[in-house]
């Protein structure tokens, strides 16, 4: 019964993983930051040295610039992104009632582009789309 043995092995593996995650006391949990080399930590601490921030700055400029025939910026409707977009990424993919199908965050942003801003959608996985999400 090869398959039965495989199932038992998988179940044992799952039980071990679950046990391990639950077994780490809150006080001993560490952020990935603590495993980085001092160089990488320094880069993370300094916004201007972190290449990832270029994407964020790009997104911020885009967030505030008017586009499409609505002449509106994301900020005009959504205000400060730090507040209005907090936790949004975690909710996607989500079911879109109007479309009757699930959409991911990129598609959700493009719906806003096309319907609310009346601007052409961003190319899928384009630089701007990724920078808006950072
Ligand atoms: C004219 C107003 C308007 C503009 C401009 C606009 N949005 Fe939206 N957005 C909305 C509304 C209203 C919703 C709620 C869903 C709906 O009915 O479209 C929404 C929903 C969203 C959501 C989903 C939020 C959630 O809680 O699930 C995201 C993400 C989003 N917009 C991003 C953007 C981005 C990025 C831009 C700029 C490129 C933008 N929006 C421009 C009005 C706007």
């Amino acid at each position: 019964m090869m398959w039965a043995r495989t199932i038992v092995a998988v179940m044992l593996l799952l039980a071990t993983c679950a046990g391990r995650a639950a077994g780490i006391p809150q006080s001993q949990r560490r952020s990935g930051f603590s495993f980085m080399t001092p160089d990488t930590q320094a880069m993370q601490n300094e916004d201007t040295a972190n290449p990832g921030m270029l994407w964020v700055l790009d997104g911020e400029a885009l967030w505030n610039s008017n586009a499409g025939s609505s002449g509106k910026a994301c900020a005009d409707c959504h205000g400060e992104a730090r507040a209005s977009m907090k936790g949004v990424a975690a909710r996607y993919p989500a079911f879109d009632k109007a479309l009757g199908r699930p959409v991911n965050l990129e598609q959700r942003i493009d719906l806003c582009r096309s319907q609310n801003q009346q601007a052409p959608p961003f190319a899928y996985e384009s630089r701007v789309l990724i920078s808006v999400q950072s």
Side-chain angles (χ1 to χ4, degrees):
M1 290 278 188
M2 238 348 248
W3 61 269
R5 226 181 284 157
T6 310
I7 291 178
V8 169
V10 168
M11 284 171 71
L12 276 176
L13 193 68
L14 288 176
T16 320
C17 291
R20 217 175 270 159
I24 302 171
Q26 196 74 35
S27 62
Q28 285 173 30
R29 292 186 191 175
R30 291 162 66 190
S31 143
F33 185 84
S34 64
F35 297 103
M36 290 174 186
T37 64
D39 275 356
T40 314
Q41 284 185 345
M43 192 170 81
Q44 281 255 312
N45 284 336
E46 173 56 55
D47 279 356
T48 53
N50 186 344
M53 280 312 283
L54 292 175
W55 298 85
V56 177
L57 292 175
D58 242 21
E60 197 168 290
L62 205 73
W63 183 261
N64 292 308
S65 56
N66 300 345
S69 48
S70 74
K72 289 209 163 106
C74 316
D76 289 331
C77 297
H78 292 290
E80 183 65 43
R82 260 181 208 95
S84 66
M85 292 292 136
K86 195 162 190 232
V88 167
R91 285 204 297 275
Y92 285 82
F95 191 78
D96 186 286
K97 275 198 199 126
L99 292 178
R101 62 174 169 84
V103 292
N104 63 24
L105 185 57
E106 299 202 20
Q107 292 165 327
R108 176 56 258 189
I109 291 173
D110 262 344
L111 283 173
C112 253
R113 272 289 281 187
S114 54
Q115 294 171 358
N116 293 322
Q117 270 188 323
Q118 285 144 45
F122 297 125
Y124 198 67
E125 291 201 334
S126 62
R127 193 161 179 254
V128 277
L129 203 46
I130 292 168
S131 65
V132 170
Q133 294 177 59
S134 337

